């Protein structure tokens, strides 16, 4: 790649959080006194290389979310019915000069800056797509109903997190081609035949999906605060 690359990020945050149980859309639920989305955006802003940041919010909440994130210099757009729609809508709002894009789930609101930086670095090194990964600690079975039909070799499996990073042109092509059932952006890029590389993920980049995840997130933050306080002195 020639010339300086311009990095932007999109944050799909328009989901309802059905698995979290009744309440506000997931990105707007409270965690240590602030909405999840504020934690997520702050985490991305810790990486100084990210310029434009676009958040896809639930359509009825766009104005509230803009106010909520006023201090973080973000653009807020309405998301769509599926995550893929929200990513596509947010991507379309990125300025033309952005050529490297991170896609980061608001639900992975405690991602450490080191993971964000590792993804950006791998993009600068020329990767078309980058995903942070962790080894799989459970044994994973293939089933047919209640019958086990196979066991996957977990040594070659990885659990995938966000932010995922892409050359913008590749990600836009992937979303234009789309494929139903894809559960992440890298899947769409892989379907094009583009190479996706891995970088080490982090336990703290876990996704808040079920109520127990919120308990874990509160605990992680409770441990972080005294540490940050110490650094500040
Ligand atoms: N997301 C989105 N637009 C949608 C659906 C999901 O922007 N139509 C976002 C969510 O806000 C979240 C990320 O995609 O940050 C990952 O999705 P997931 O964890 O599944 O969140 P929800 O869809 O909100 O949760 P659930 O599936 O339990 O309803
Ligand atoms: Mg969902």
């Amino acid at each position: 790649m020639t010339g300086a690359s311009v990095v932007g990020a999109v944050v799909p945050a328009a989901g309802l959080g059905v698995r979290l149980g009744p309440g506000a859309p997931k990105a707007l639920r409270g965690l240590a006194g602030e909405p999840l989305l504020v934690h997520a955006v702050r985490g991305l802003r810790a990486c100084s290389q990210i310029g434009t940041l676009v958040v896809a919010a639930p359509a009825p909440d766009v104005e509230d979310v803009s106010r909520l994130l006023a201090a973080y210099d973000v653009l807020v757009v309405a998301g769509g019915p599926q995550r893929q729609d929200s990513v596509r809508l947010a991507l379309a709002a990125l300025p033309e000069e952005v050529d490297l894009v991170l896609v980061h789930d608001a639900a992975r609101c405690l991602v450490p800056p080191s993971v964000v930086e590792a993804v950006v670095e791998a993009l600068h090194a020329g990767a078309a797509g980058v995903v942070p990964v962790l080894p799989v600690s459970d044994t994973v079975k293939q089933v047919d109903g209640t019958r086990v039909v196979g066991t996957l070799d977990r040594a070659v499996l990885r659990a995938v997190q966000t932010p995922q990073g892409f050359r913008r042109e590749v990600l836009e092509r992937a979303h234009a081609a789309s494929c139903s059932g894809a559960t992440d952006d890298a899947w769409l890029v892989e379907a094009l035949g583009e190479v996706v590389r891995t970088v080490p993920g982090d336990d703290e980049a876990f996704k808040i999906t079920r109520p127990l995840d919120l308990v874990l997130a509160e605990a992680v933050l409770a441990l972080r605060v005294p540490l940050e306080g110490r650094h500040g002195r």
Side-chain angles (χ1 to χ4, degrees):
M1 210 174 298
T2 54
S5 301
V6 178
V7 185
V10 300
V11 180
L16 296 178
V18 171
R19 287 169 289 179
L20 211 46
K26 180 158 68 182
L28 302 178
R29 306 246 189 143
L31 171 60
E34 290 181 300
L36 254 69
L37 181 57
V38 172
H39 293 279
V41 166
R42 196 185 287 132
L44 289 176
R45 276 286 174 240
C47 176
S48 60
Q49 290 199 59
I50 298 175
T52 307
L53 208 159
V54 182
V55 170
D61 301 306
V62 167
E63 278 184 25
D64 284 349
V65 169
S66 300
R67 267 192 297 274
L68 185 68
L69 299 174
Y72 297 97
D73 189 22
V74 302
L75 205 60
V76 183
V77 299
Q82 305 294 326
R83 183 186 177 283
Q84 272 188 38
D85 304 312
S86 298
V87 172
R88 202 176 302 123
L89 290 161
L91 257 180
L94 280 175
E96 210 174 310
E97 66 266 24
V98 171
D99 48 19
L100 301 176
V101 183
L102 301 195
V103 183
H104 182 54
D105 287 338
R108 295 189 187 271
C109 57
L110 300 184
V111 64
S114 56
V115 175
V116 181
E117 275 152 21
V119 172
V120 172
E121 208 171 291
L123 284 177
H124 282 315
V130 187
V131 293
V133 299
L134 286 179
V136 174
S137 49
D138 291 325
T139 296
V140 180
K141 300 285 185 196
Q142 222 168 341
V143 295
D144 178 5
T146 57
R147 197 171 81 89
V148 172
V149 294
T151 301
L152 302 173
D153 174 12
R154 74 178 182 203
V156 296
L157 297 177
R158 297 291 181 271
V160 178
Q161 304 180 319
T162 73
Q164 298 188 350
F166 305 96
R167 291 212 313 266
R168 180 188 187 158
E169 168 271 317
V170 171
L171 184 61
E172 287 183 338
R173 221 163 5 100
H175 272 273
S178 205
C179 66
S180 61
T183 48
D184 72 351
D185 301 283
W187 184 331
L188 300 175
V189 167
E190 291 155 45
L192 294 181
E194 294 283 349
V195 175
V196 176
R197 302 269 174 212
T198 66
V199 294
D202 192 291
D203 284 337
E204 294 191 5
F206 69 99
K207 186 158 74 74
I208 293 185
T209 305
R210 297 180 186 80
L212 192 61
D213 299 323
L214 273 178
V215 177
L216 180 58
E218 294 275 359
V220 169
L221 280 174
L223 283 172
R224 269 187 198 177
V225 170
L227 282 177
E228 281 164 9
R230 242 177 277 153
H231 287 310
R233 260 167 238 150

